[in-house]
Amino acid sequence: MKLGIVGLPNVGKSTLFNAITNAGAESANYPFCTIDPNVGVVAVPDSRLDWLSDFYKPKKTTPAVVEFVDIAGLVKGASHGEGLGNKFLANIRECAAIVHVVRCFDDENVIHVEGSTDPIRDIDIIDLELIMADVEMVDRRIDKAQKAAKADRKFLHEAEVFEGLRDWLNNGQSARTYLDQVDEEDAALISTCELLSLKPVIYAANLDEDGFSDPSGVDYYQQVADRAAGEGAQVIPVCAKLEAEIAELPADEKALFLEDLGIAQSGLGRLIQASYTLLGLISFLTAGEDECRAWTITRGTKAPQAAGKIHSDFERGFIRAETVAFEDLKACGSMAAAREKGLIRSEGKDYIVQDGDIILFRFNV
């Protein structure tokens, strides 16, 4: 899973990226200090995997991972090459979802590229750049469909669908919101086009420490929350500065620090949780003395396809999946006890894998 972190310059993108990945992206109080997209691969926090690792004492423990891409601050005109525009819009196309960092605090010591704090204006600037970049791509799709229609009239409908989308985009509305205006078949057709404004969005509302202690009392945050609710996006409050401090602590002190602050999860944990929900992802687990591992799949995946995440031979020669829910194993204390209670199930090709399933795949190639 790859998430692109975007936003205007100096809203806290690179500070947040550094905090959650410890990748050391340069962070400076001026635009475009991030010249190449910084990439960090981070482990997905999973207490179930931690428990299995303590239980089995395996030679290796492998968590699921998320790739974060810190993309340079976009400015007005990015879709037409302003700032470092087109290059970074291309980087966003490769991401499954967008984490849009929005500044929700006042600080005269931190320059704002637009001269003041205004979260909705900032969101609109980024959205418009993504939409305008999409218009160019939709124009090309229409042209291609119209040419193909000369040989096969079925492409006339495709051209009409994308012409409707172009009109929608030209009114400053995202491709995401257009999907609600068309039927399932046309929505699937639009989804074949790699549009920036089609990608699901998580707003990371970057607050100062005072605001972070009570986000609901911050007007800037409430503006972002209302905007997110109106477009079916998610919003999470973060304090990039605080996250940076947490990231520097030894592992055993992080939990205590979060507890003292009254925070259940770090920004990373909340971001990943929001990302999984947004993208419809879950994790299943494999466990044993050699390795304990978490695997990311799309919710609704059947057992053979889940097996294919491990190796294509597992899917090709799938026989059955011996499955136990994590909570059942934990409650029983051992696989033997879970088996005695009939909690280890033998599932076939039509079984839909559930979040937290511990699975042993049987296959024959």
Side-chain angles (χ1 to χ4, degrees):
M1 181 170 66
K2 184 184 287 188
L3 304 176
I5 303 180
V6 305
L8 292 175
N10 296 347
V11 296
K13 288 187 308 83
S14 293
T15 303
L16 181 62
F17 175 82
N18 289 347
I20 61 180
T21 66
N22 291 316
E26 183 184 358
S27 178
N29 188 21
Y30 57 90
F32 312 127
C33 65
T34 311
I35 295 176
D36 289 313
N38 293 274
V39 179
V41 178
V42 296
V44 175
D46 193 329
S47 59
R48 300 168 303 190
L49 184 64
D50 295 338
W51 188 91
L52 288 171
S53 187
D54 286 341
F55 181 77
Y56 281 100
K57 303 289 191 295
K59 298 171 186 174
K60 184 180 180 183
T61 298
T62 307
V65 296
V66 174
E67 192 172 318
F68 285 96
V69 183
D70 179 29
I71 295 163
L74 297 171
V75 294
K76 284 180 182 176
S79 58
H80 302 295
E82 290 296 322
L84 297 169
N86 289 330
K87 179 180 178 183
F88 296 99
L89 292 172
N91 290 323
I92 301 170
R93 290 194 196 282
E94 300 171 2
C95 298
I98 293 171
V99 178
H100 186 162
V101 182
V102 186
R103 178 166 157 177
C104 292
F105 64 90
D106 292 311
D107 187 341
E108 60 184 21
N109 296 316
V110 180
I111 300 165
H112 193 294
V113 71
E114 291 294 319
S116 62
T117 303
D118 184 339
I120 300 305
R121 176 205 59 207
D122 294 355
I123 291 172
D124 285 341
I125 289 171
I126 298 295
D127 278 0
L128 186 59
E129 294 309 321
L130 301 183
I131 288 166
M132 294 312 294
D134 283 348
V135 169
E136 292 183 21
M137 180 166 278
V138 169
D139 277 336
R140 290 196 294 272
R141 185 66 177 260
I142 293 168
D143 186 55
K144 183 179 177 182
Q146 287 173 338
K147 287 177 180 175
K150 292 175 183 178
D152 188 340
R153 291 183 62 81
K154 74 177 183 181
F155 287 100
L156 284 175
H157 178 68
E158 180 173 328
E160 289 171 1
V161 169
F162 281 99
E163 283 168 354
L165 174 58
R166 180 178 60 190
D167 292 342
W168 186 267
L169 294 171
N170 279 328
N171 283 328
Q173 300 171 100
S174 71
R176 277 190 315 280
T177 57
Y178 188 65
L179 294 186
D180 296 332
Q181 310 299 311
V182 297
D183 62 29
E184 203 171 300
E185 191 174 319
D186 289 348
L189 179 60
I190 290 168
S191 296
T192 63
C193 195
E194 291 185 350
L195 301 175
L196 300 174
S197 68
L198 197 59
K199 294 184 183 296
V201 175
I202 300 166
Y203 291 109
N206 188 19
L207 300 141
D208 58 19
E209 290 187 45
D210 290 339
F212 185 64
S213 63
D214 182 22
S216 60
V218 179
D219 183 56
Y220 291 144
Y221 174 78
Q222 200 54 56
Q223 290 176 35
V224 178
D226 291 344
R227 174 66 170 259
E231 58 185 49
Q234 294 205 28
V235 59
I236 58 168
V238 298
C239 176
K241 183 181 176 184
L242 195 60
E243 292 291 340
E245 292 174 10
I246 294 170
E248 292 176 2
L249 294 173
D252 56 345
E253 292 182 24
K254 286 182 182 180
L256 290 173
F257 187 68
L258 289 170
E259 189 178 328
D260 288 342
L261 292 170
I263 303 170
Q265 276 185 306
S266 68
L268 173 62
R270 281 178 283 118
L271 252 184
I272 290 174
Q273 190 173 53
S275 303
Y276 266 56
T277 301
L278 193 68
L279 296 172
L281 302 175
I282 61 171
S283 293
F284 74 89
L285 306 148
T286 52
E289 293 179 0
D290 285 333
E291 183 181 29
C292 290
R293 183 162 181 167
W295 304 84
T296 302
I297 56 172
T298 304
R299 187 177 298 278
T301 298
K302 291 185 177 180
Q305 287 68 51
K309 288 285 289 186
I310 299 174
H311 197 285
S312 57
D313 284 351
F314 284 32
E315 181 175 359
R316 188 158 53 93
F318 179 88
I319 299 173
R320 66 182 183 275
E322 293 182 5
T323 308
V324 61
F326 169 78
E327 293 300 336
D328 287 342
L329 174 63
K330 185 178 179 181
C332 290
S334 72
M335 281 290 188
R339 194 178 297 278
E340 282 179 14
K341 292 186 177 182
L343 295 172
I344 297 180
R345 311 179 309 277
S346 181
E347 303 287 1
K349 292 183 177 181
D350 291 330
Y351 175 68
I352 296 174
V353 175
Q354 302 299 305
D355 187 39
D357 275 352
I358 302 168
I359 304 178
L360 173 63
F361 290 107
R362 300 293 185 184
F363 69 103
N364 182 30
V365 177

